[in-house]
Amino acid sequence: VYASVVALHITKPYDIHRRILAVQTFKNRPEANALSVANKRVSNILSKYEENISSPTINSSLFENDIEKTLATQIADMHDSIRLLSEHGDYPEILTKLAGLREPVDQYFDKILVMAEDKSLRENRLLMLKQLRGLFLHVADIALLQ
């Protein structure tokens, strides 16, 4: 838990403490393990991709099925609220919201080949994973809970 928080290089002790408490509570949720595993997988995929992703935004016209659309919509819908919650230090609420992504994330990894042959598809999918990871990094690097 501690490692997942200090990985963000936060310098305010009280903020570190609040994040640790939030992650500790999150860790006891039934969704925590699956989301931690997914975050570790996302982190590994993103770290191995050496090219720059050419597009700054997700292109919904490249979605091949509803699973991609669902996850992208949920990520987009959560972005502003999570940023606002982060500004107010409401880390437990952020992790509660993110716990709701377990099913779409599980379906995404079950049905979608992230590293598709087609570069446009691959980069669009990587960009979606990068945005997903960014949501979690508002609190901690939960991939380190594994």
Side-chain angles (χ1 to χ4, degrees):
V1 171
Y2 178 77
S4 73
V5 173
V6 298
L8 301 183
H9 307 290
I10 298 160
T11 58
K12 297 177 183 172
Y14 184 61
D15 192 41
I16 293 169
H17 173 72
R18 291 172 61 205
R19 289 169 189 258
I20 288 172
L21 293 176
V23 173
Q24 186 62 47
T25 300
F26 172 76
K27 190 176 174 186
N28 295 324
R29 293 183 65 106
E31 305 91 347
N33 189 55
L35 287 168
S36 179
V37 168
N39 267 270
K40 185 161 184 79
R41 186 173 180 184
V42 168
S43 178
N44 289 339
I45 291 169
L46 292 174
S47 70
K48 290 177 184 174
Y49 194 70
E50 296 177 358
E51 297 179 42
N52 287 327
I53 298 175
S54 55
S55 175
T57 58
I58 294 172
N59 181 350
S60 61
S61 69
L62 293 174
F63 295 158
E64 292 187 324
N65 60 50
D66 288 340
I67 293 170
E68 288 179 285
K69 182 179 179 181
T70 298
L71 185 57
T73 300
Q74 289 185 341
I75 290 170
D77 289 348
M78 287 187 180
H79 183 267
D80 290 338
S81 66
I82 287 179
R83 184 182 45 77
L84 187 59
L85 289 167
S86 180
E87 289 171 7
H88 291 111
D90 195 347
Y91 307 121
E93 183 61 23
I94 292 171
L95 291 173
T96 297
K97 285 184 174 290
L98 292 173
L101 291 176
R102 178 190 177 176
E103 187 176 325
V105 168
D106 285 348
Q107 288 180 359
Y108 188 83
F109 280 121
D110 286 346
K111 306 289 183 190
I112 304 298
L113 176 63
V114 175
M115 300 307 280
E117 291 291 324
D118 181 277
K119 184 177 180 176
S120 298
L121 285 176
R122 181 175 59 245
E123 289 190 351
N124 203 51
R125 292 170 178 171
L126 288 167
L127 185 57
M128 189 177 336
L129 294 181
K130 185 176 179 182
Q131 289 181 6
L132 172 67
R133 181 150 168 74
L135 292 178
F136 281 93
L137 291 176
H138 278 277
V139 179
D141 185 352
I142 69 162
L144 296 176
L145 294 177
Q146 287 300 303

